[in-house]
Amino acid sequence: MTTATSDAAPRQKLRDDDPEANLRLNPVKVAIGILGMVVIAWALGNMFLAFGYYPEKFGSKLVIGVLAVIGGVGGAAALFYFLNMFVEGLPRRLSEGFIPYAFVLPGLALVTLMLIYPTFQTVNYSFANSDSTAYIGFANYRTIFADNAFWTSIGNNVLWLLIVPAIVVALGVVVAVLADKLSATGEKVAKSLIFLPMAISFVGASAIWGLIYAYNNPGQSQTGLLNAIVVGLGGQPQTWLAISTAKLNSILLMVILIWLQVGFGMVLLSSAIKGVPEDTIEAARIDGASELQIFWKVIVPQIRGTVITVFVTVFILVLKVFDIVYVTTNGSYGSDVIANLFFNKLFAASEAGQATAIVVVLLVAVIPLIWFQIKHFKDEEAG
Amino acid sequence: MARSLMKDGRPRSPFSIVTMVVLALLWTIPTVGLLITSFRSRDDAATSGWWTALFNPLGTQWTTSNYQGVWSGQDFGSAFLNSIVIAVPATIIPIMFAAFAAYAFTFMNFPLKELFFLLIIAVLVVPIQVAFQPMLNFLGPRGLGISGQYMAVWLLHTGFGMPLCIYMLRNYMSTLPRTIIESAKIDGCSHYQTFWRLVAPMSMPAIAAFATLQFLWVWNDLLIAKLFLKSDNATVIVALQKLLGTQGQGQELLTAGAFISIIVPMIVFFSLQRFMVRGMTSGAVKG
């Protein structure tokens, strides 16, 4: 071994020279590692508590923000540094076995605390009373199942799930295919404009669409675009979001979500369509296939995976749709959905038992999706 | 008639051009309407549609008073700062934790690895509503007592963003050449050094993609902000939601408030769109 390489890799050299070192504990490293982790955790905890209880001592919120970023990011980095030092200080065989857990467990612990533990706790609370202090058996389930509002919400959710993901995928494919036929600049501009709503919050989008669905009394000039068009064509202005006939109001709210999500579908589908090998299309064209036949018989089978991905992602989003309904109708006029019903039970009515029972219903609805995701992942790993 | 050709030699498609122009307009009109309304005086906005200002720009009283009113009068200035103070750490902290986990899932073998990863995939789908009642208890006065503070919301967003972050980064890292990682090991680099010097820099596209998605999600979130923040710490989205509830008085402020709430995500979106699209399509968000 030359000196140059041994300089570059002193640790390796140490191991080569002294095989016993691998087996020994390095108490200094272990001690510094543990001490470092404790000090960092203590300091961060206190800093964040100080932000919470004495915000005025920091002058402005910007100072807090900057300190939080430095503390949060630097703290997390330092925590991993000392954790790594601790593990490296252990005898080598132990350390090799430990290090993967040192990397995985901090993240996994947070997921466990924020999602896995609450899942079980929510199921637990759904059998308890309104402030989770005593068990009351299935009473919450009996209450919500006997409530018409619950079944209306379920019906609306089903309608949202049937309509929104399908239309997002269909429009996404149409936009992706047509944009592909534009010039490079045209494609870029058109896609950016359609993608843009993805940056807008559900609340912001509801405010934006409020200007379209707005209603003024007949005779006044209409400030809502939809009513202006209707009146312009000789019709009567309508209070759009109050019309539950044929679920019109729910459908108009779905339009908002579709407007937000088509860009997401388009981006994924467009990249899938661009990935379809040109020669398969060329071959079909030589065989005399029409453009429509090429689309259905050649392109669609090859982008099937992406279509499913977009569909499932939007499906999951729709299942939890809340903000749009909450800020527009808050569930009145027969437009309620499960997530909004849940929020009102939890927040407005303080019925924790019934609220958690509603979440359990939602949870049961996603079980097939969990199964699907895992199967999909296993297929992908195997393929 | 021969179809005209574009610069790159492909035939021009009039049908595509017309349809795409119509779709792009349909997708843009609502936002344009908001932008125009936010600069109109209260009387104008109440008596005529925003499009009249578009057709008659000189006869319209343009004003910025809505913005002044909402920024100071409705505390959007303070809410705006809150949003930044919440969104930036809530974007960066999950990445720190997830990147280490993704590294282990990609480059290390250990017992229970598959079970842990399947757990991550399973919770990708679990609705975050399951967390609310237990977390209100855990973070609230009955537990840690930090509900209402920024920290509670950082923690929640970190936990909720983690599964997707681990999943995206792991998918991206598994496309990195393994030989580089192995040669680093032969050179005597520890996993920690390999992570910082090689894997983290090489994963930047996926990190940027997730950061954009997470920032948009945190900034635009209403549920968590409403349930876990006291009113001093409320975000712009919560402020906007409160404004949406008011009828009549203050209606003219709504559009200005909405525009303030969407300007930052739009800037982030436009400057990082490249990364986001690349990250989303390069197998980062599959499944």
Side-chain angles (χ1 to χ4, degrees):
Chain A
M1 190 186 275
T2 66
T3 23
T5 44
S6 60
D7 275 352
R11 187 162 315 147
Q12 189 75 17
K13 184 166 171 276
L14 198 75
R15 282 176 193 152
D16 290 344
D17 292 352
D18 180 8
E20 291 291 302
N22 293 341
L23 306 170
R24 263 190 248 123
L25 178 85
N26 185 336
V28 179
K29 271 191 159 185
V30 171
I32 295 179
I34 293 177
L35 193 69
M37 281 190 282
V38 171
V39 169
I40 294 279
W42 177 84
L44 281 183
N46 276 307
M47 185 172 95
F48 287 127
L49 284 179
F51 291 163
Y53 290 107
Y54 308 105
E56 67 281 355
K57 298 224 160 143
F58 294 92
S60 106
K61 280 181 172 162
L62 263 186
V63 178
I64 295 186
V66 171
L67 283 177
V69 172
I70 296 170
V73 178
L79 212 59
F80 274 104
Y81 177 79
F82 286 116
L83 183 59
N84 181 64
M85 184 184 273
F86 164 73
V87 175
E88 279 186 351
L90 295 174
R92 181 127 180 270
R93 284 180 63 186
L94 209 57
S95 129
E96 297 242 305
F98 257 15
I99 194 106
Y101 299 102
F103 278 27
V104 165
L105 288 183
L108 206 65
L110 275 168
V111 173
T112 309
L113 175 68
M114 297 291 164
L115 285 163
I116 297 173
Y117 150 76
T119 305
F120 292 102
Q121 189 67 293
T122 286
V123 175
N124 184 16
Y125 285 159
S126 74
F127 296 106
N129 60 4
S130 58
D131 55 359
S132 314
T133 47
Y135 285 106
I136 53 169
F138 284 89
N140 291 321
Y141 291 93
R142 276 197 291 274
T143 314
I144 60 167
F145 289 149
D147 187 357
N148 273 334
F150 173 77
W151 294 109
T152 312
S153 306
I154 293 271
N156 286 333
N157 258 87
V158 169
L159 202 64
W160 279 77
L161 291 170
L162 286 175
I163 294 176
V164 177
I167 291 191
V168 167
V169 169
L171 268 177
V173 171
V174 167
V175 172
V177 168
L178 293 182
D180 203 29
K181 294 186 193 299
L182 300 181
S183 67
T185 322
E187 177 175 358
K188 210 177 141 208
V189 172
K191 278 169 139 183
S192 283
L193 288 177
I194 293 176
F195 198 24
L196 180 70
M198 223 192 131
I200 298 172
S201 63
F202 292 145
V203 182
S206 306
I208 289 174
W209 281 79
L211 292 172
I212 292 184
Y213 298 147
Y215 167 82
N216 299 77
N217 289 324
Q220 286 182 327
S221 82
Q222 295 296 324
T223 56
L225 187 57
L226 195 54
N227 271 327
I229 293 170
V230 167
V231 171
L233 296 174
Q236 283 294 312
Q238 306 288 333
T239 49
W240 296 107
L241 296 182
I243 303 176
S244 59
T245 320
K247 293 281 171 203
L248 183 68
N249 51 3
S250 290
I251 290 168
L252 291 175
L253 296 182
M254 289 178 210
V255 170
I256 303 178
L257 188 58
I258 292 168
W259 178 73
L260 286 169
Q261 291 295 314
V262 164
F264 162 76
M266 170 203 73
V267 165
L268 291 195
L269 291 161
S270 168
S271 122
I273 288 171
K274 284 186 194 297
V276 171
E278 196 60 37
D279 49 348
T280 60
I281 297 171
E282 221 33 62
R285 206 166 273 151
I286 290 165
D287 287 346
S290 71
E291 288 296 315
L292 218 57
Q293 281 174 317
I294 291 176
F295 175 73
W296 284 110
K297 302 250 167 76
V298 181
I299 297 179
V300 168
Q302 296 192 64
I303 61 168
R304 208 176 135 261
T306 311
V307 168
I308 293 175
T309 303
V310 173
F311 189 91
V312 170
T313 312
V314 178
F315 192 91
I316 293 167
L317 184 82
V318 174
L319 200 59
K320 299 180 287 191
V321 66
F322 158 73
D323 312 34
I324 294 177
V325 177
Y326 177 65
V327 301
T328 51
T329 64
N330 196 9
S332 47
Y333 314 113
S335 63
D336 215 353
V337 288
I338 284 295
N340 188 55
L341 188 68
F342 157 77
F343 183 82
N344 282 328
K345 288 273 189 212
L346 183 70
F347 196 63
S350 298
E351 285 284 354
Q354 290 179 34
T356 46
I358 291 171
V359 183
V360 172
V361 173
L362 207 57
L363 208 53
V364 170
V366 299
I367 287 175
L369 284 170
I370 294 177
W371 174 82
F372 173 83
Q373 291 280 74
I374 288 178
K375 187 174 160 294
H376 185 73
F377 170 73
K378 287 196 162 164
D379 289 351
E380 207 132 271
E381 292 296 287
Chain B
M1 192 181 87
R3 292 170 80 183
S4 65
L5 295 180
M6 292 188 291
K7 273 190 210 136
D8 52 10
R10 289 178 300 153
R12 227 175 262 284
S13 158
F15 174 72
S16 305
I17 293 174
V18 172
T19 322
M20 285 306 292
V21 167
V22 170
L23 280 174
L25 277 178
L26 276 177
W27 251 253
T28 318
I29 283 171
T31 319
V32 171
L34 178 83
L35 183 61
I36 291 175
T37 311
S38 70
F39 287 108
R40 297 181 77 204
S41 73
R42 182 176 166 182
D43 292 342
D44 276 9
T47 51
S48 60
W50 57 266
W51 52 92
T52 50
L54 194 61
F55 295 132
N56 181 16
L58 295 177
T60 306
Q61 299 177 319
W62 298 105
T63 170
T64 54
S65 66
N66 297 338
Y67 283 90
Q68 287 156 6
V70 83
W71 187 263
S72 43
Q74 298 288 332
D75 269 348
F76 265 63
S78 150
F80 191 82
L81 262 182
N82 286 333
S83 277
I84 291 175
V85 172
I86 284 162
V88 174
T91 302
I92 300 174
I93 297 172
I95 294 174
M96 293 291 309
F97 284 90
F100 276 102
Y103 176 92
F105 279 126
T106 318
F107 300 112
M108 294 172 170
N109 281 314
F110 52 95
L112 298 181
K113 175 174 158 176
E114 194 179 6
L115 177 78
F116 284 169
F117 200 69
L118 288 182
L119 212 58
I120 297 290
I121 290 175
V123 293
L124 270 177
V125 185
V126 169
I128 58 167
Q129 277 89 348
V130 299
F132 290 159
Q133 184 57 28
M135 282 297 128
L136 280 171
N137 285 345
F138 177 71
L139 301 172
R142 286 200 243 170
L144 295 179
I146 56 169
S147 191
Q149 316 292 352
Y150 297 133
M151 193 181 169
V153 178
W154 290 332
L155 263 176
L156 289 166
H157 280 301
T158 300
F160 297 154
M162 189 78 61
L164 182 67
C165 192
I166 294 178
Y167 185 68
M168 276 177 77
L169 294 183
R170 184 243 175 223
N171 276 346
Y172 189 85
M173 284 178 188
S174 59
T175 65
L176 298 177
R178 271 177 173 270
T179 47
I180 297 183
I181 312 304
E182 263 143 37
S183 59
K185 199 176 174 187
I186 290 165
D187 286 346
C189 281
S190 68
H191 281 297
Y192 187 76
Q193 290 164 323
T194 315
F195 172 83
W196 279 112
R197 292 194 194 147
L198 286 172
V199 175
M202 285 164 86
S203 305
M204 266 312 155
I207 290 176
F210 174 80
T212 316
L213 284 174
Q214 174 80 356
F215 183 87
L216 293 180
W217 153 243
V218 174
W219 182 282
N220 288 339
D221 159 73
L222 171 69
L223 254 180
I224 298 169
K226 197 168 169 59
L227 280 173
F228 291 93
L229 286 173
K230 59 181 183 185
S231 54
D232 281 353
N233 292 344
T235 62
V236 265
I237 301 297
V238 175
L240 181 62
Q241 178 261 320
K242 290 206 177 113
L243 215 49
L244 264 169
T246 57
Q247 295 292 327
Q249 282 280 324
Q251 269 297 77
E252 77 280 6
L253 301 178
L254 176 66
T255 50
F259 203 76
I260 289 174
S261 84
I262 63 180
I263 190 71
V264 171
M266 272 198 188
I267 292 169
V268 168
F269 181 86
F270 268 121
S271 43
L272 294 172
Q273 190 185 12
R274 221 158 27 95
F275 290 106
M276 194 157 98
V277 171
R278 210 192 300 154
M280 275 164 53
T281 53
S282 69
V285 184
K286 57 182 176 184

